[in-house]
Amino acid sequence: DPAELVKDEL
Amino acid sequence: MNIFRLCGDMSHLAAIIILLLKMWKTRSVAGISGKSQILFATVFTARYLDLFTSFISIYNTCMKVFFIGTVYFTIYLIYMKFKATYDSNHDSFRVEFLIVPVGGLAFLVNHEFAPLEIIWTFSIYLESVAILPQLFMISKTGEAETITSHYLFALGSYRALYLCNWIYRYYAEGFFDLIAVVAGVVQTILYCDFFYLYITKVMKGKKISLPA
């Protein structure tokens, strides 16, 4: 699920 | 983490430091849009709500704290400490024309209809247009101090580098987030006009002066 991944970016 | 994202974060960091140096050294916020800084503060506050709930890395947490701390300090400098030098007449962009559509879009187009996800989406969409009051102010005053041009160049470069980061992550990790990418493209496009002026003028030691 892309939503989970992107949260490691600022 | 990859080199593009690291350079992007460093460029973002540099932009904020350049802005603070400009204000602190010249003891003036002339030419700086307080409205854009308020939008950036909203972006960071909305995006970093998970600051205390989810830990990614020391780097991630430090950068989030730094970004949130400096943007509120910038707002303090503009609206309190150096208030006398704040040019509110030229900082007249109607930010409600940004916040309302962006807020509505975040409700309609998101990955998941959940509060934190919608707030995060709102911060992504808002960031892509947050620089408009600043660019509008420069078009009204017809010029930008050289140091302000460097600030904008670093700020514009940060999201352009993030676009490279997303291309890299797509091929290296199969990672792809359409919302972040589309907003990032819009955000970078908004700087193109400025990038052109910066490269053709500021790099040659001239000042940016738009046909007022």
Side-chain angles (χ1 to χ4, degrees):
Chain A
D1 163 34
E4 289 314 308
L5 280 174
V6 78
K7 301 303 182 292
D8 68 347
E9 293 181 340
L10 289 174
Chain B
M1 178 57 80
N2 58 68
I3 186 64
F4 302 109
R5 181 146 62 105
L6 187 61
C7 291
D9 290 341
M10 291 305 110
S11 184
H12 196 181
L13 194 67
I16 291 173
I17 290 169
I18 289 169
L19 183 64
L20 286 176
L21 280 179
K22 171 249 183 318
M23 293 176 165
W24 201 254
K25 294 278 184 208
T26 65
R27 304 193 72 70
S28 159
V29 295
I32 302 299
S33 164
K35 294 189 173 183
S36 273
Q37 295 309 315
I38 289 173
L39 292 180
F40 284 128
T42 310
V43 166
F44 292 144
T45 307
R47 191 169 309 172
Y48 301 154
L49 288 175
D50 63 351
L51 180 61
F52 302 111
T53 55
S54 74
F55 176 79
I56 307 277
S57 67
I58 298 283
Y59 169 82
N60 190 274
T61 302
C62 291
M63 292 294 274
K64 286 176 176 177
V65 169
F66 183 83
F67 286 164
I68 286 188
T70 48
V71 77
Y72 281 105
F73 181 60
T74 302
I75 290 173
Y76 158 73
L77 292 180
I78 292 172
Y79 290 102
M80 288 182 230
K81 190 160 179 65
F82 301 136
K83 183 180 175 59
T85 64
Y86 171 50
D87 181 3
S88 58
N89 296 323
H90 285 125
D91 191 12
S92 55
F93 194 94
R94 304 286 301 277
V95 292
E96 55 272 28
F97 292 165
L98 294 178
I99 292 181
V100 173
V102 158
L105 190 64
F107 259 91
L108 296 173
V109 181
N110 50 60
H111 288 308
E112 182 196 355
F113 197 76
L116 267 184
E117 191 61 33
I118 289 173
I119 292 170
W120 175 84
T121 308
F122 169 73
S123 86
I124 290 287
Y125 293 153
L126 186 61
E127 185 185 5
S128 61
V129 292
I131 199 62
L132 281 176
Q134 179 65 67
L135 297 178
F136 179 78
M137 182 175 192
I138 289 176
S139 69
K140 283 197 77 171
T141 55
E143 63 167 5
E145 284 178 31
T146 303
I147 188 83
T148 308
S149 306
H150 295 320
Y151 159 68
L152 286 169
F153 182 75
L155 196 60
S157 305
Y158 132 70
R159 214 61 181 174
L161 286 162
Y162 255 70
L163 293 178
C164 303
N165 152 63
W166 287 320
I167 293 169
Y168 173 83
R169 290 189 77 177
Y170 178 70
Y171 289 109
E173 307 163 23
F175 165 89
F176 182 66
D177 179 348
L178 187 62
I179 286 177
V181 170
V182 171
V185 169
V186 168
Q187 183 169 338
T188 305
I189 287 174
L190 290 178
Y191 283 85
C192 284
D193 168 38
F194 170 78
F195 279 147
Y196 172 75
L197 285 170
Y198 184 86
I199 289 164
T200 54
K201 291 207 175 170
V202 177
M203 301 290 259
K204 290 177 184 149
K206 294 183 198 143
K207 240 172 106 115
I208 282 193
S209 52
L210 306 172

